[in-house]
Amino acid sequence: MVMSFRVSELQVLLGFAGRNKSGRKHELLTKALQLLKSGCSPAVQMKIKELYRRRFPRKILTPSDLSMLHIQAGQLPSATALTQGTVCHLPYDQRFEEAHFTFALTPQQVQQILTSRFSLLLFRFCLCETSCPQEDYFPPNLFVKVNGKLCPLPGYLPPTKNGAEPKRPSRPVNITPLARLSATVPNTIVVNWSSEFGRNYSLSVYLVKQLTSVTLLQKLRAKGIRNPDHSRALIKEKLTADPDSEIATTSLRVSLMCPLGKMRLIVPCRAITCTHLQCFDAALYLQMNEKKPTWTCPVCDKKAPYDGLIIDGLFMEILNSCTDCDEIQFMEDGSWCPMKPKKENQEVCQAAAFAGIEASSLYTVSSEGKNSSEGKKKVEVIDLTLDSSSDEEEPPAKKQCPVSSAALPTAAGPKG
């Protein structure tokens, strides 16, 4: 059996046995034969039979051989389910299954596919579970034939650990090039996969209309902008004092740069399920998912599907009113102020020392007392940019910088 295996089957076998699966075919074959000579476990023997039967099926099943177990197609928005079919257990002593399906197109559906390059036929797999909506999920060792032709599936992902069997990314598969675009001749699908105890799968075929990122952005804008009060409430919630904490967080910094393209936000967006304030740019997010659909939030790495996206009204207000900074700071009451880069603040401070221009600093100390004869006050500004790891054990140098006699904001400190 092993001598008839191809490279892919030898790699699966060696990976299943926890052996090194790198090398040319003759090297892999030598390793597999050594595995047999050393006395492999019953599980490995079963895997060899499974791979061999997969390679050389004993019988091509016909519809009359099937057990007529109907698989229901799950419904998805803006898609037409077309599949009907049956599934059966193959007549040999291993956990492999095969299912046959047929679907037919109406004259209107055929015309829609032929006249629009954005109309596609997709098939999708998911777990056969009705308690909640299911995500795409491929069965293990999946092979699909559409009208007798092998259907290309997504490539295997690199294994996360040594010896682990590679897996395919589960996502919809376009079968339009393999379909018979006819209203009189039905289409057939044959599916082979490794069964798992207690786990069943559903297959559906959908006629869908592909939407471009530009169209999706227009639809997202048409949904409207989320009320700024939602974000203000989230800010207040995050900055609410924790009675069990010794330090109170009184402000929160957020960037106005998109984490995807490192450019300033234009359409600030995030998923309604995200708990963070940081936004990403909707246009760039949709463009990236148009090329490679992952629909994952770039900030928290959680699912961020299109239907769950919202445009943040508070960030829209901030972007429109604050054009000269890339970072802001939120306060406990939901208000905000722009944050200037540290380098820019130092330059302003130095210029003020020589030209007498009023300067503001991120690090200030409030003071009380009468105005001096010059109408200016002196405050000590500690330069925090000095390297604290220097060999000299000396306190940071202090700079004298004249500031306006107007009231200065007081830096928040630990909770008393």
Side-chain angles (χ1 to χ4, degrees), residues 385-402:
T385 63
L386 293 179
D387 187 359
S388 60
S389 61
S390 60
D391 296 331
E392 298 181 4
E393 298 293 335
E394 296 182 2
K398 299 179 180 180
K399 295 183 179 180
Q400 297 292 333
C401 180

Side-chain angles (χ1 to χ4, degrees), residues 325-397:
C325 75
D326 298 327
E327 189 178 29
I328 59 170
Q329 180 171 285
F330 288 115
M331 306 302 179
E332 292 176 282
D333 59 355
S335 61
W336 61 275
C337 65
M339 302 296 294
K340 302 293 183 181
K342 186 183 295 183
K343 182 178 179 181
E344 183 177 327
N345 277 275
Q346 291 174 348
E347 293 175 354
V348 170
C349 183
Q350 292 170 0
F354 292 97
I357 302 176
E358 293 184 359
S360 61
S361 173
L362 296 181
Y363 311 99
T364 59
V365 180
S366 62
S367 59
E368 297 180 357
K370 302 295 182 179
N371 291 341
S372 64
S373 58
E374 297 178 356
K376 301 279 185 180
K377 295 179 183 177
K378 300 270 187 175
V379 296
E380 292 183 346
V381 179
I382 300 176
D383 189 348
L384 300 182
T385 63
L386 293 179
D387 187 359
S388 60
S389 61
S390 60
D391 296 331
E392 298 181 4
E393 298 293 335
E394 296 182 2

